[in-house]
Amino acid sequence: MWKWLHPYAKTERAYQLCITLQPWFWAGACICLVVGTVWGLAFAPQDYQQGDSFRIIYIHVPSAILSMGTYVAMAVAALVGMVWQWRTAYMTMIAMAPIGAVMTFVALFTGAAWGKPMWGAWWVWDARLTSELILLFLYVGVIALYGAFEDKQQAGKAAGVMALVGVVNIPIIHYSVEWWNTLHQGATISKFDNPSIAPEMLWPLLINLLGFALFIGAVTTIRLRNEIVLRELHRPWVQALAQQRLEKEA
Amino acid sequence: MLEACEITCIKRDRTLFEGISLSVDAGDLLYLRGPNGAGKTSLLRILTGLSAPDSGTVRFNSVDIAVNASAYLSNLVYLGHKSGTNGSLSAIDNLKFWLAQHSANADDDALYETLARIGLVGLEDVPVRYLSAGQQRRVALSRLWLKKASVWVLDEPFTALDTKGVALLEQFMKHHVENGGVVITTSHQALSEEAGRYRVFDLEYRF
Amino acid sequence: MSLYQGIFVRDMHIAFKQKAELVQPIMFLLMVVTLFPLGVSPSPDTLQRIGPGVLWIAAILSSLMAMERMFRDDFQDGTMEQYVLSGMSLAGISAVKVCAHWLVSFVPMLVLSPLLAMFLNLTFDMYVALIITLLLGTPLLSFIGAIAVGLTVGLQKGGVLLALLLIPVFIPLLIFATSAVDSAALQLPYYPQIAIIAAMLLLSAAIAPFAIAYSLKVSQN
């Protein structure tokens, strides 16, 4: 596998890979998101307790799951960068960070909006919402640390260390917050605990989850391309690329 | 003795230098020259192993220092822009601590004698912070006298030194080289005749 | 005297020559705690209820202030470069420096804690629990914090950034430590929380020195 992956440590090859992957990501994301969202919002049955307001899970749950997933992916990229000294790994990591942060924000926002009809308040210190908020802080930390360095190679390494520290902490944070929550709120029923979900509700959810994942992939490839071009502006291959583009436009 | 092969250094996404090779043997004084921003300090730091090159290797007696640096480090003195002395400790305390960390033995007499030779009589017990810039530089330079190392890597060693100090250091560099040592140095002023015979290595500024 | 011992002695020596830097975070802690009775309520019941949280939050905030100087001087004056070139293990050096730093910045906090406990009307049981959580929790702050300090030491404007990086990471410790003291207030056993904090401390003591060494190398580059 390494023989196959290793060429992508070179920025030029990684750039080409992004170009190849991007349309597939976009096509998959569009199809999945349209199918999943329309199915979920219009055709899936109503929840017997929550009525139509439960339908926000088709946005909330995928974004919440993928906000964590993106962070883990960042940590994996950081580890790859650290072990094999790939510059592109750090670039991928930092390309994903703002997307993950936005996903976290979407999860928080939809969670809060869902909480309004359910709890009568925009913000409740529910365990999962709190974990999600702390996750947002972790994202902010990584992005801020990356921004603080002028040498972006160094910045990538530093942000990578922080991403790894964060990923070790995510499970600890998650369980500690959950435990803290039960301690302080007693036995409130968490609306997120769905012991069983009807298959006709679950399918659109899964499709949307895949759609979100592909969407993140698509945006990551765009951001990674940008990052590569910005960082390698002085390299001949980037200049040749720019030249080509200019000629095409002329 | 010390050999750098195909060294590349990228800083802030700018290639400072690419594919540089150089080698120094016993009795060489290498004078590294180049405009500001050409990467002299970066090259020196790579040669000492303080920072890793983006590609290429540095070898000491044919051993890659990225793999095993222990033999190299015990034969190396590096003096950078930063003096490596703590301002609130005295010159003697700073040097004793440094010598212990570098497993170099020197008794108190040798310490005082060296400080006297380098022109710091009576200032041994004053916190380094209260010394002038040139005197602080002298404290840092006294390591060259105290640690028996064959390779000296000196980054702008003449900064803040007066003419007497410059002459003293140049003579000592010459002495070291004549006794089979190696000196790699950068400097904005050209080396004078006191320093003896030397080789020049030019680094160009790249865009 | 072993080499690492030498570093420890030197760090202590330097710390006691810079007394102002030692005292300031402690005064900060004292003042933050003073703000709560003024800002929330001076009633003994309220203070007892919020006391553990207030103390731990104040401890975390003042530790952030104290933490900055852990590697700063050595980094700026070039001592760190000479450490790297001394051939000693950078992880070992980091561990020693973290211990020295903990002794000079957190032990005064422990000494001050009876006074703070009195200010916040903690019972004796709560105070015992507080001391145990501080004893186990503050080294954890030092070890984890040192990683971020190592990363930000080369930056000009590291202060607020350090807090941004570390506060979310310290949240589990805050939760377990305050709940241990709360349990003590209710005469409940609190050893599970203590055990968890101890486990986190051991884990961080084992791994953090290597992470700190790596961060320092990144900053050095």
Side-chain angles (χ1 to χ4, degrees):
Chain A
M1 187 177 134
W2 293 118
K3 278 211 176 97
W4 172 79
L5 257 181
H6 211 263
Y8 297 110
K10 292 241 185 335
T11 44
E12 196 178 348
R13 293 292 300 271
Y15 185 85
Q16 295 302 336
L17 180 70
C18 286
I19 293 182
T20 323
L21 286 178
Q22 209 173 316
W24 296 101
F25 275 140
W26 276 124
C30 287
I31 294 168
C32 287
L33 285 176
V34 168
V35 170
T37 308
V38 171
W39 188 355
L41 294 190
F43 298 105
Q46 272 194 358
D47 186 79
Y48 74 100
Q49 269 183 328
Q50 304 181 20
D52 275 332
S53 67
F54 96 98
R55 293 184 195 277
I56 205 165
I57 63 165
Y58 294 114
I59 309 292
H60 178 77
V61 171
S63 60
I65 291 177
L66 288 169
S67 64
M68 306 241 177
T70 308
Y71 201 91
V72 174
M74 275 168 57
V76 171
L79 194 67
V80 168
M82 225 173 265
V83 174
W84 285 286
Q85 315 273 326
W86 291 5
R87 297 174 67 217
T88 45
Y90 291 119
M91 291 176 181
T92 314
M93 181 197 78
I94 211 62
M96 282 191 287
I99 309 169
V102 169
M103 282 293 143
T104 317
F105 182 77
V106 169
L108 276 172
F109 186 84
T110 52
W114 194 1
K116 180 65 181 158
M118 301 312 302
W119 288 318
W122 283 105
W123 182 263
V124 173
W125 289 95
D126 165 79
R128 300 202 186 179
L129 280 180
T130 310
S131 300
E132 201 70 12
L133 183 64
I134 299 170
L135 182 66
L136 183 65
F137 293 163
L138 289 175
Y139 273 115
V140 169
V142 171
I143 295 169
L145 185 61
Y146 184 80
F149 284 88
E150 269 180 59
D151 185 334
K152 290 304 171 195
Q153 176 69 1
Q154 203 183 7
K157 286 182 186 171
V161 175
M162 222 43 229
L164 284 173
V165 170
V167 93
V168 173
N169 252 279
I170 283 180
I172 303 179
I173 290 173
H174 184 78
Y175 287 109
S176 69
V177 167
E178 210 153 76
W179 179 74
W180 157 83
N181 198 244
T182 54
L183 207 71
H184 285 271
Q185 300 205 330
T188 42
I189 303 153
S190 176
K191 64 185 188 317
F192 301 108
D193 285 334
N194 273 332
S196 61
I197 180 168
E200 55 269 37
M201 287 176 172
L202 183 64
W203 274 111
L205 186 63
L206 291 179
I207 294 173
N208 248 11
L209 182 64
L210 182 65
F212 267 73
L214 290 169
F215 175 74
I216 291 175
V219 183
T220 305
T221 49
I222 295 180
R223 286 186 43 87
L224 181 57
R225 276 175 62 185
N226 274 339
E227 182 80 15
I228 291 176
V229 167
L230 276 176
R231 298 269 302 271
E232 308 258 289
L233 218 48
H234 302 293
R235 290 294 180 86
W237 73 268
V238 175
Q239 283 171 348
L241 206 71
Q243 197 65 39
Q244 261 176 24
R245 184 65 64 87
L246 277 176
E247 277 164 15
K248 213 183 274 176
E249 272 170 23
Chain B
M1 196 186 274
L2 187 67
E3 202 184 352
C5 297
E6 299 287 321
I7 299 280
T8 300
C9 176
I10 301 168
K11 276 275 160 74
R12 296 187 184 175
D13 297 310
R14 190 168 77 80
T15 309
L16 291 179
F17 43 81
E18 201 168 2
I20 279 189
S21 298
L22 59 89
S23 77
V24 279
D25 276 309
D28 276 348
L29 198 173
L30 190 69
Y31 172 34
L32 205 58
R33 233 171 23 180
N36 291 335
K40 297 187 297 290
T41 297
S42 301
L43 180 56
L44 288 186
R45 289 175 70 89
I46 287 171
L47 288 178
T48 58
L50 272 176
S51 37
D54 289 274
S55 70
T57 52
V58 180
R59 283 194 285 264
F60 176 70
N61 289 339
S62 347
V63 180
D64 187 345
I65 64 162
V67 178
N68 184 357
S70 56
Y72 180 46
L73 292 180
S74 58
N75 269 305
L76 170 76
V77 176
Y78 166 76
L79 295 177
H81 290 281
K82 302 170 180 172
S83 65
T85 51
N86 186 288
S88 46
L89 297 181
S90 68
I92 283 287
D93 284 346
N94 266 309
L95 289 174
K96 273 188 184 164
F97 175 71
W98 184 84
L99 286 169
Q101 302 312 310
H102 286 249
S103 315
N105 295 314
D107 52 22
D108 282 9
D109 289 345
L111 267 172
Y112 279 98
E113 197 182 302
T114 308
L115 285 175
R117 183 182 307 175
I118 206 156
L120 291 171
V121 182
L123 298 172
E124 296 96 340
D125 295 321
V126 179
V128 168
R129 191 189 313 137
Y130 299 130
L131 302 182
S132 76
Q135 286 167 334
Q136 292 189 14
R137 169 74 28 183
R138 281 163 193 256
V139 174
L141 286 170
S142 59
R143 293 176 183 145
L144 297 175
W145 276 265
L146 291 166
K147 181 177 170 182
K148 301 278 169 276
S150 52
V151 182
W152 295 357
V153 178
L154 311 174
D155 195 357
E156 300 287 346
F158 302 111
T159 313
L161 285 184
D162 54 17
T163 41
K164 260 169 88 180
V166 171
L168 185 72
L169 179 58
E170 283 186 337
Q171 280 161 15
F172 196 47
M173 276 160 60
K174 186 180 174 196
H175 173 80
H176 180 64
V177 166
E178 280 168 357
N179 285 296
V182 168
V183 179
I184 302 172
T185 183
T186 62
S187 166
H188 281 298
Q189 307 103 335
L191 296 179
S192 75
E193 283 165 14
E194 306 259 20
R197 204 170 43 80
Y198 61 84
R199 279 199 294 146
V200 174
F201 190 92
D202 275 311
L203 267 181
E204 316 242 313
Y205 188 89
R206 298 174 42 137
F207 289 96
Chain C
M1 193 169 68
S2 97
L3 297 175
Y4 295 98
Q5 225 174 328
I7 294 178
F8 181 80
V9 171
R10 171 181 178 274
D11 273 16
M12 298 298 270
H13 195 66
I14 292 174
F16 282 101
K17 289 202 171 188
Q18 301 170 335
K19 289 193 189 66
E21 296 221 33
L22 284 188
V23 175
Q24 278 163 5
I26 300 299
M27 295 317 290
F28 177 78
L29 172 73
L30 185 63
M31 288 177 194
V32 170
V33 171
T34 312
L35 291 181
F36 280 87
L38 298 172
V40 182
S41 149
S43 100
D45 287 345
T46 315
L47 287 180
Q48 195 172 72
R49 204 163 48 77
I50 63 168
V54 168
L55 275 177
W56 259 98
I57 291 170
I60 288 177
L61 292 182
S62 68
S63 80
L64 287 173
M65 311 207 105
M67 211 110 66
E68 242 193 304
R69 46 163 277 277
M70 196 175 326
F71 301 121
R72 190 194 54 209
D73 289 351
D74 279 354
F75 189 85
Q76 283 176 354
D77 66 22
T79 308
M80 203 57 85
E81 289 172 358
Q82 299 294 339
Y83 280 146
V84 174
L85 295 178
S86 71
M88 297 166 68
S89 130
L90 198 53
I93 295 175
S94 319
V96 170
K97 290 187 74 71
V98 169
C99 291
H101 181 264
W102 179 78
L103 273 178
V104 292
S105 3
F106 287 107
V107 171
M109 206 180 273
L110 291 175
V111 173
L112 197 67
S113 63
L115 178 68
L116 300 177
M118 240 159 53
F119 275 8
L120 295 172
N121 194 34
L122 301 192
T123 62
F124 181 71
D125 290 334
M126 289 168 84
Y127 177 63
V128 173
L130 177 74
I131 282 287
I132 298 175
T133 55
L134 281 176
L135 263 177
L136 291 171
T138 49
L140 179 66
L141 293 180
S142 288
F143 272 115
I144 303 290
I147 302 175
V149 176
L151 291 174
T152 53
V153 72
L155 298 172
Q156 238 75 116
K157 46 204 182 291
V160 182
L161 183 59
L162 191 65
L164 271 184
L165 295 177
L166 285 177
I167 287 176
V169 178
F170 288 160
I171 286 173
L173 175 63
L174 177 72
I175 291 175
F176 290 122
T178 51
S179 99
V181 186
D182 281 338
S183 301
L186 302 170
Q187 308 284 334
L188 295 171
Y190 50 82
Y191 54 82
Q193 288 95 316
I194 300 291
I196 292 174
I197 297 175
M200 292 196 292
L201 172 61
L202 291 177
L203 183 72
S204 68
I207 298 172
F210 300 97
I212 301 166
Y214 184 83
S215 328
L216 287 172
K217 274 201 183 127
V218 169
S219 288
Q220 199 68 255
N221 219 351

